[in-house]
Amino acid sequence: MTSAHATPCPEPFLPPDPQAASGSRIADFARWAARHQGAEMTQDPTDYQALHHWSVTDLEGFWAAVWEYFDIDAATPYERVLAEETMPGARWFPGATLNYAHHALRNLHPDAPAITALDETGAAYKITGRKLRAQVASVAATLRDLGVGQGDRVVGYLPNTPHAVIAFLATASLGAVWSVCGQDYAPGAAADRFAQLEPTVLVTADGYLFNGTRHDRRTASLDLAAALPTLKATVLVDHLGLAWPATRAAGLTVPWEDAAGRTEYLGITPVPFDHPLWIVFSSGTTGLPKGIVHGHGGVLLEHLKTLALHSDLGPGDRLLWYTTTHWMMWNLVVSTLLTGATTCTYDGSPAPVVRPDVLWELAARHKVTVFGTSPQYLLAMAKLGVEPSVHDLSAVRAIGSTGSTLPASAYHWVRDHVGAGIQLASTSGGTDVVSAFAGSAPTTPVWAGELSAPNLGVALAAYDGAGRPVVDQVGELVVTRPMPSMPLYFWNDPDGSRYRDAYFTAYRGVWRHGDWITITGHGSVIVHGRSDATLNRNGVRLGSTDIHDIVERLPEITEALVIGAEEPDGGYWMPLFVVLADGNVLDDALREKIRDAIRDGASPRHVPDEILAVPAIPHTRTGKKLEVPVKRLLQGAPAEQVLNPSAVDHPDLVAYFAGLGAERRETRHPHTAKDAS
């Protein structure tokens, strides 16, 4: 790698606790690997960089160690770890047959909670390991009776409750394929996803809770069922206690109580290592959402590594991570069960108006050990003046954050308002690999505003414009060697062209993810935002996240979005859109305050051309800002070619930003605007 300049290692914001690091599962794994795999590392099992170096230079040795350390129970053994290392097309553990569901259920204590179900009212109930296994067995038998077999698809239109976990595990136990989305999706948007899969069974709920409101989704559920002609049956979940209408979905319907209330033996179907486990969907901002297929074995190994080694989860631990069922974090959170720890489901708003600190209250009451959330949530807590430390959070040892870049200010807020010794673990990954590329571990230091290190087994690099790895410079996030959880394929992509185009066209045989990152000289990772949304002002690349982080700290601003748009005359327009906090006006004084903050916190180059107040910022339904679609709307691209309104949290904003772009083009380039019209 090349470096612009050598930089001394800065003092970490939080060094690893020596006792916790030495007693962690990742340190135990390092000791085990050194003894049993001959791993070439230092004598110090808490030396994360040495462990990571081994994990990416000896892929077969590392993943064989993960397999053996976690005692993977295969019905037939593997022939070798990595038969082909090509990307795409790597062949992992050929010959092995196993099942994810078997591993999710085998380590649960029969009388301890496997799932703790929570909601925004503060209510809770627990499902023991014994009861979970019994309900999975019952639902699996029901699905089998309804005609579901190996390779068939079962889909869920469900909130984040135990019903979704049980239905997924039952599906996986049969060797069938699972997919799910939340009920805030309209039936048409859900059908855009599920109809592609030609599902056999739909599992759907009567509704969900959000911000003090019980949302009735009975009609929406039946409309969705009607839009899926391949269904043989619909399983109706009574979550809110709303009576299903006498005229139900076309075809057979089964109440959840009947599906889950049988006494059955749980038979597990062994499947090949790369047999499809689930299908997760891209945000679908342009065209139909892409169905991304992951396999039993790849998910099993990747999630054990991520949750047991990086998050240090095991029996007796409890994970509460706010997510919806259509975000890949739901898939990762379910895998908590693989470690023997308790997973918490949560139905509701993360910060309901009447009790914005409810998640902290629940974390305290249920002795949560790992609390997971997003940067937006932590920043919102700070702005609302929420004081989590009024609750007894002594059990919490780590707070995970993902979904977007976590600014340095959040690290200080967590230390001062949650707990000084709590590790703030910022991670970055994606639905594509249903895991993380970079994050932290009990053995890594924490630097404010940075991700501690690339994850084990991830050959992460930052490439410059010539495709060379660089250090201490901004570059493209790439992965140079395969990961077991990379997609098997995209659904309905028979020749693999859509899959190759998504990741492998920029650099042959190398995964390009589409993020700008810096890998620092001290081994950490800084994420600057999407590379296709990167600002390029006078040839200088700027990260949009660097601006968002600064502006969103101001009390007058609730959210910000900066766009860099190339114009027809060769000019470059870089506006900053801001959403004002209640009671504020975007006057000259506030504009100057924003400019000063950006100038002082980033550089004069980062100061936008204009600052405009907007009613809201559009996001995908998983909370990511729609930077590229907004840019294209401002440039005049037809809305129907830019994004699918059903994939946007506020569809009315599509026309709003398209109108802003039209007004600017008419003002600055009237002839071009008329020609375009």
Side-chain angles (χ1 to χ4, degrees), residues 76-225:
T76 57
Y78 63 84
E79 297 160 5
R80 67 172 296 175
V81 174
L82 184 56
E84 294 180 27
E85 195 181 319
T86 56
M87 286 195 293
R91 292 180 58 235
W92 291 94
F93 296 94
T97 56
L98 41 67
N99 192 289
Y100 171 100
H102 167 62
H103 291 82
L105 295 168
R106 68 172 181 164
N107 291 324
L108 303 177
H109 191 287
D111 299 317
I115 304 174
T116 300
L118 310 169
D119 69 38
E120 66 176 37
T121 69
Y125 65 90
K126 298 180 179 181
I127 298 177
T128 64
R130 179 183 289 108
K131 185 175 181 180
L132 176 60
R133 187 177 184 89
Q135 290 193 329
V136 169
S138 177
V139 174
T142 300
L143 293 175
R144 189 183 300 111
D145 291 348
L146 294 173
V148 175
Q150 185 171 332
D152 291 331
R153 277 75 62 201
V154 176
V155 296
Y157 188 48
L158 296 164
N160 187 13
T161 66
H163 309 95
V165 180
I166 294 163
F168 157 58
L169 292 175
T171 300
S173 74
L174 300 172
V177 187
W178 173 254
S179 191
V180 64
C181 77
Q183 292 191 303
D184 54 336
Y185 275 83
D192 284 346
R193 290 154 171 75
F194 293 157
Q196 300 179 54
L197 310 182
E198 299 179 304
T200 301
V201 172
L202 166 68
V203 184
T204 187
D206 55 354
Y208 65 96
L209 296 171
F210 197 85
N211 206 16
T213 300
R214 291 154 54 91
H215 293 265
D216 183 349
R217 302 303 282 168
R218 291 173 295 175
T219 299
S221 295
L222 302 183
D223 288 346
L224 173 58

Side-chain angles (χ1 to χ4, degrees), residues 40-84:
E40 295 183 5
M41 294 176 282
T42 65
Q43 296 302 308
D44 181 3
T46 67
D47 184 343
Y48 181 87
Q49 289 193 352
L51 180 61
H52 178 267
H53 178 75
W54 171 68
S55 77
V56 295
T57 54
D58 182 7
L59 281 186
E60 292 202 67
F62 170 71
W63 288 109
V66 172
W67 181 288
E68 297 297 332
Y69 181 76
F70 289 109
D71 190 25
I72 301 302
D73 186 10
T76 57
Y78 63 84
E79 297 160 5
R80 67 172 296 175
V81 174
L82 184 56
E84 294 180 27

Side-chain angles (χ1 to χ4, degrees), residues 427-439:
T427 65
S428 181
T431 301
D432 323 72
V433 294
V434 75
S435 184
F437 297 119

Side-chain angles (χ1 to χ4, degrees), residues 43 100 314 317 355 383 429 435 442 483 517 576 583 587 590:
Q43 296 302 308
Y100 171 100
D317 286 315
R355 49 194 310 177
K383 288 197 173 185
S435 184
M483 298 166 58
I517 63 169
L576 173 68
D587 54 18
L590 181 53

Side-chain angles (χ1 to χ4, degrees), residues 30 86 103 232 238 275 282 309 478 509 551 594:
T86 56
H103 291 82
K232 294 181 179 179
D238 180 9
H275 184 78
S282 66
L309 301 185
V478 299
V551 176
I594 294 170

Side-chain angles (χ1 to χ4, degrees), residues 91 133 212 242-243 295 342 444 491 557 621 627 641 646:
R91 292 180 58 235
R133 187 177 184 89
L242 305 176
T342 300
T444 59
W491 193 258
I557 308 299
R621 291 185 177 272
E627 297 178 66
Q641 296 179 13
S646 67

